[in-house]
Each structure stands twice: as structure tokens, then as C-alpha cells.
Amino acid sequence: MTDTRWLDETEMAAWRAFLSTSHLLERRIEEQLKAAAGLTHAQYEILVRLSGAPGRQMRMTELARGVVASKSALTYQITQLEKAGLVERTTCPSDDRGVLAVLTETGMRCLEQIAPGHLEVVRRYLIDRLTREELEVLTAAMRRTEEALRA
Amino acid sequence: MTDTRWLDETEMAAWRAFLSTSHLLERRIEEQLKAAAGLTHAQYEILVRLSGAPGRQMRMTELARGVVASKSALTYQITQLEKAGLVERTTCPSDDRGVLAVLTETGMRCLEQIAPGHLEVVRRYLIDRLTREELEVLTAAMRRTEEALRA
DNA sequence: AGCTGGTCGTTCAAATCTGAACAACAAGTA
DNA sequence: TACTTGTTGTTCAGATTTGAACGACCAGCT
């Protein structure tokens, strides 16, 4: 509170661009997924994480960390995905408190079907507009702040 | 749908890092603002935009575009900020349909008071972790995709 | 003036997220 | 064993967002 470190032009420009772009991209992705499969981006990310996990299953808490969602938000979304038949709940054998979210065959097929359309959006607006070097700079920068935020 | 262009490792790494980090940062910012002033990040951004606008006022639609929010979301938030005395609504003199959101003196003082704490978070987790060059690369990249998304 | 298409901001119901509270269980310690 | 501390996932109420529908208004044209 003593003396405020404001952002200079370069810093402010970076922050504003990052902020606007992430929100705009989020919007577009949401729109595409809703139209293509009636899914939320949050739901899509859950399917992706599960599909990449051993046994296509994950503990609720671990999954929540992965997709950056609160525990209650994940509980809600898993319930929705369960109703849609894309995910199932299993009690964790090694921990009676635990719950395993498991990707069903239907869920896996659904994901394979909508992934191309989703990735097309990610490509068109972000990935294909960056050079190889920019991609690497972006990754390094993001990982540094991600690491700080996970602590 | 013909042949899918998947993302290679470099591309996927960039996308995942960008996605996780933007969500994590959003969370932290939300947490800080809530604790410091009981404000949402969306509300804070509205105050910032208004403070930088001529006459500290903006048309609803223009403001919605600026902060990347839907019209209904903005209507809701402006109502909240009005209840808090930080913003006022005025009928637009040149267009009877229009509504001007005006930042009040109280709103301006509130913003000046909480900006330092907010910027400190932006610095600590993002800005201060990037080199000058990285900041510029990030800005350029984000602006390119922002431009595409605004079209 | 009358029409037409478009824009503006709001409203509404439904969906989603948040954070605190909670009960059940785990793991270590005395 | 009994106790303590921490974790797990859910629940709940409240806050916020979404998208469609709507009435009011603008601008250009006839």
C-alpha cells in the first residue's frame, strides 16, 4: 500500500490484450461447443482430461485441479455428464471417501466426434496465428505464472 | 470434417498452458477483489473502462464490447454497481434508446483505492515474471487473435 | 407521413458458479 | 483403542451468466 507500482504502457498493453483475448476466445469456444454438441467448455475439458488419464478415470479432487474448477462446480458438471451418459461415478476402492469419475465408451466416442471442430476453432483464432517461436514464448511465460499460481 | 488437423506437442503445450493459466489467474484476481472490496472482476473492469472514458461515461453496448460481456450480463452488473453508488444511469441525449453508464465520484475514489491491490496481483503472477521481450511477443500474439475474434 | 430493417437496453427463465457448511472417512499420535 | 487433524465429495442458498424474446427507438427509403 506504501507506493503503488503502476503498469507502464508496455505492461498495460500486454495485460489488456491478454485479458480481452482470453475472454473473447472463451466465448467463441463456448459458442462452438454449444452449437456442435450442446456441451459447455467446462464439460468438454472434463472429457478431455478423463480421456487422457490412465483407465480413463480420475478422482474428483484431482480432476477439479486439472480443469481449474471448484469442487462444487465439478460435482455439478459430473452430474450433468452422468445424465448424458458420458461419464459414470465409481466409488474409489482405496479410499471410501473418494469418488472416481470414469469416461464411458459413449463419452469417448462423443469426444472423438467433437474434438476436430473444437480444435479447428483453437487453431483458427489462436494457434495458426502464432509463429513457432511465439508459441514457445507463450508456453514458457504461461507456465511460469501457472506454477506461481498453483503454489 | 474431412481430415482433422490435430495439434502437435508444441501447439498443444501452448494451448493448455494458456488455458490453465488464464483460468487460474482469473480465480486469483476474483479472490483478491472480493476480499479487498467485495467486487467482482467483471465489476472492477467496468469501473476501469468508465474511468478511462471521456466524461467517465459510456454507452451500454460499447461498454459491453469493451469488457467482453453479454448485454444482459452488463445490465445486471450496472444495476449492482448502481445500488453500491459507484455508477449511475443516464439517458443518452442523442439517442432516446440509449443509456449512459456514468462513473460517480464515489466510484472513482473506490477504484483508486483498490487498483493498487489488484495490480499487485497482476504483477506478482504475470507481468513481473515476463521479460520485456516476452511482454511484447505476448501483446502482439494476443492482439492478432483478438482482432480475428472481433470480426 | 408511412414502411422497413436494424439497433438499444431490459426482462425473464434456465443454467451455472461460488463459498460455506457438513458428514464420512483417512492417517497419524498418544 | 481413543483422539485429533486433515481430506473428500456433496449439499445448499445466493450470486451471476446466458440466450431468446420483447418493446422502444433510429435511419433510410418511398
Side-chain angles (χ1 to χ4, degrees), chain B residues 58-69:
Chain B
M58 261 196 237
R59 287 289 294 269
M60 294 295 278
T61 296
E62 184 191 5
L63 185 51
R65 266 191 228 291
V67 301
V68 189

PDB file of all heavy atoms in Angstrom, chain B residues 58-69:
ATOM      1  N   MET B  58     -20.081   5.914 -20.631  1.00  0.00           N
ATOM      2  CA  MET B  58     -20.096   5.104 -21.854  1.00  0.00           C
ATOM      3  C   MET B  58     -21.482   4.549 -22.108  1.00  0.00           C
ATOM      4  O   MET B  58     -22.246   4.296 -21.176  1.00  0.00           O
ATOM      5  CB  MET B  58     -19.143   3.921 -21.699  1.00  0.00           C
ATOM      6  CG  MET B  58     -17.785   4.110 -22.328  1.00  0.00           C
ATOM      7  SD  MET B  58     -16.972   2.519 -22.469  1.00  0.00           S
ATOM      8  CE  MET B  58     -15.488   2.850 -21.558  1.00  0.00           C
ATOM      9  N   ARG B  59     -21.748   4.316 -23.383  1.00  0.00           N
ATOM     10  CA  ARG B  59     -22.992   3.672 -23.765  1.00  0.00           C
ATOM     11  C   ARG B  59     -22.933   2.212 -23.342  1.00  0.00           C
ATOM     12  O   ARG B  59     -21.868   1.593 -23.384  1.00  0.00           O
ATOM     13  CB  ARG B  59     -23.173   3.762 -25.283  1.00  0.00           C
ATOM     14  CG  ARG B  59     -23.532   5.149 -25.783  1.00  0.00           C
ATOM     15  CD  ARG B  59     -24.958   5.488 -25.386  1.00  0.00           C
ATOM     16  NE  ARG B  59     -25.889   4.617 -26.064  1.00  0.00           N
ATOM     17  CZ  ARG B  59     -26.447   4.888 -27.245  1.00  0.00           C
ATOM     18  NH1 ARG B  59     -26.191   6.015 -27.846  1.00  0.00           N
ATOM     19  NH2 ARG B  59     -27.286   4.037 -27.792  1.00  0.00           N
ATOM     20  N   MET B  60     -24.055   1.645 -22.992  1.00  0.00           N
ATOM     21  CA  MET B  60     -24.108   0.267 -22.526  1.00  0.00           C
ATOM     22  C   MET B  60     -23.487  -0.723 -23.510  1.00  0.00           C
ATOM     23  O   MET B  60     -22.661  -1.552 -23.135  1.00  0.00           O
ATOM     24  CB  MET B  60     -25.565  -0.135 -22.239  1.00  0.00           C
ATOM     25  CG  MET B  60     -26.203   0.612 -21.093  1.00  0.00           C
ATOM     26  SD  MET B  60     -25.441   0.263 -19.494  1.00  0.00           S
ATOM     27  CE  MET B  60     -26.234  -1.281 -19.054  1.00  0.00           C
ATOM     28  N   THR B  61     -23.899  -0.626 -24.745  1.00  0.00           N
ATOM     29  CA  THR B  61     -23.398  -1.571 -25.736  1.00  0.00           C
ATOM     30  C   THR B  61     -21.890  -1.465 -25.936  1.00  0.00           C
ATOM     31  O   THR B  61     -21.182  -2.475 -25.979  1.00  0.00           O
ATOM     32  CB  THR B  61     -24.104  -1.347 -27.091  1.00  0.00           C
ATOM     33  OG1 THR B  61     -25.502  -1.626 -26.935  1.00  0.00           O
ATOM     34  CG2 THR B  61     -23.525  -2.251 -28.160  1.00  0.00           C
ATOM     35  N   GLU B  62     -21.416  -0.236 -25.999  1.00  0.00           N
ATOM     36  CA  GLU B  62     -19.984  -0.023 -26.178  1.00  0.00           C
ATOM     37  C   GLU B  62     -19.211  -0.583 -24.979  1.00  0.00           C
ATOM     38  O   GLU B  62     -18.173  -1.229 -25.126  1.00  0.00           O
ATOM     39  CB  GLU B  62     -19.714   1.486 -26.315  1.00  0.00           C
ATOM     40  CG  GLU B  62     -18.264   1.838 -26.611  1.00  0.00           C
ATOM     41  CD  GLU B  62     -18.003   3.333 -26.468  1.00  0.00           C
ATOM     42  OE1 GLU B  62     -18.923   4.070 -26.054  1.00  0.00           O
ATOM     43  OE2 GLU B  62     -16.871   3.761 -26.751  1.00  0.00           O
ATOM     44  N   LEU B  63     -19.758  -0.345 -23.812  1.00  0.00           N
ATOM     45  CA  LEU B  63     -19.141  -0.845 -22.591  1.00  0.00           C
ATOM     46  C   LEU B  63     -19.133  -2.372 -22.559  1.00  0.00           C
ATOM     47  O   LEU B  63     -18.138  -2.992 -22.175  1.00  0.00           O
ATOM     48  CB  LEU B  63     -19.897  -0.292 -21.380  1.00  0.00           C
ATOM     49  CG  LEU B  63     -19.347  -0.586 -19.991  1.00  0.00           C
ATOM     50  CD1 LEU B  63     -17.872  -0.240 -19.882  1.00  0.00           C
ATOM     51  CD2 LEU B  63     -20.156   0.152 -18.939  1.00  0.00           C
ATOM     52  N   ALA B  64     -20.215  -2.950 -23.004  1.00  0.00           N
ATOM     53  CA  ALA B  64     -20.303  -4.414 -23.048  1.00  0.00           C
ATOM     54  C   ALA B  64     -19.226  -4.989 -23.959  1.00  0.00           C
ATOM     55  O   ALA B  64     -18.568  -5.967 -23.626  1.00  0.00           O
ATOM     56  CB  ALA B  64     -21.695  -4.842 -23.521  1.00  0.00           C
ATOM     57  N   ARG B  65     -19.052  -4.352 -25.105  1.00  0.00           N
ATOM     58  CA  ARG B  65     -17.992  -4.784 -26.018  1.00  0.00           C
ATOM     59  C   ARG B  65     -16.624  -4.667 -25.352  1.00  0.00           C
ATOM     60  O   ARG B  65     -15.789  -5.555 -25.460  1.00  0.00           O
ATOM     61  CB  ARG B  65     -17.991  -3.907 -27.265  1.00  0.00           C
ATOM     62  CG  ARG B  65     -18.793  -4.467 -28.411  1.00  0.00           C
ATOM     63  CD  ARG B  65     -18.516  -3.671 -29.691  1.00  0.00           C
ATOM     64  NE  ARG B  65     -19.747  -3.311 -30.371  1.00  0.00           N
ATOM     65  CZ  ARG B  65     -20.541  -4.195 -30.980  1.00  0.00           C
ATOM     66  NH1 ARG B  65     -20.241  -5.473 -30.966  1.00  0.00           N
ATOM     67  NH2 ARG B  65     -21.651  -3.802 -31.566  1.00  0.00           N
ATOM     68  N   GLY B  66     -16.418  -3.562 -24.690  1.00  0.00           N
ATOM     69  CA  GLY B  66     -15.123  -3.300 -24.062  1.00  0.00           C
ATOM     70  C   GLY B  66     -14.740  -4.332 -23.024  1.00  0.00           C
ATOM     71  O   GLY B  66     -13.610  -4.819 -23.026  1.00  0.00           O
ATOM     72  N   VAL B  67     -15.655  -4.666 -22.163  1.00  0.00           N
ATOM     73  CA  VAL B  67     -15.326  -5.605 -21.093  1.00  0.00           C
ATOM     74  C   VAL B  67     -15.631  -7.043 -21.481  1.00  0.00           C
ATOM     75  O   VAL B  67     -15.483  -7.956 -20.656  1.00  0.00           O
ATOM     76  CB  VAL B  67     -16.086  -5.245 -19.796  1.00  0.00           C
ATOM     77  CG1 VAL B  67     -15.733  -3.838 -19.352  1.00  0.00           C
ATOM     78  CG2 VAL B  67     -17.579  -5.388 -19.992  1.00  0.00           C
ATOM     79  N   VAL B  68     -16.042  -7.256 -22.740  1.00  0.00           N
ATOM     80  CA  VAL B  68     -16.358  -8.597 -23.225  1.00  0.00           C
ATOM     81  C   VAL B  68     -17.407  -9.277 -22.354  1.00  0.00           C
ATOM     82  O   VAL B  68     -17.142 -10.284 -21.683  1.00  0.00           O
ATOM     83  CB  VAL B  68     -15.112  -9.495 -23.291  1.00  0.00           C
ATOM     84  CG1 VAL B  68     -15.413 -10.802 -24.011  1.00  0.00           C
ATOM     85  CG2 VAL B  68     -13.960  -8.772 -23.984  1.00  0.00           C
ATOM     86  N   ALA B  69     -18.587  -8.675 -22.340  1.00  0.00           N
ATOM     87  CA  ALA B  69     -19.703  -9.256 -21.587  1.00  0.00           C
ATOM     88  C   ALA B  69     -20.952  -9.195 -22.457  1.00  0.00           C
ATOM     89  O   ALA B  69     -21.023  -8.385 -23.382  1.00  0.00           O
ATOM     90  CB  ALA B  69     -19.922  -8.479 -20.296  1.00  0.00           C
TER      91      ALA B  69
END
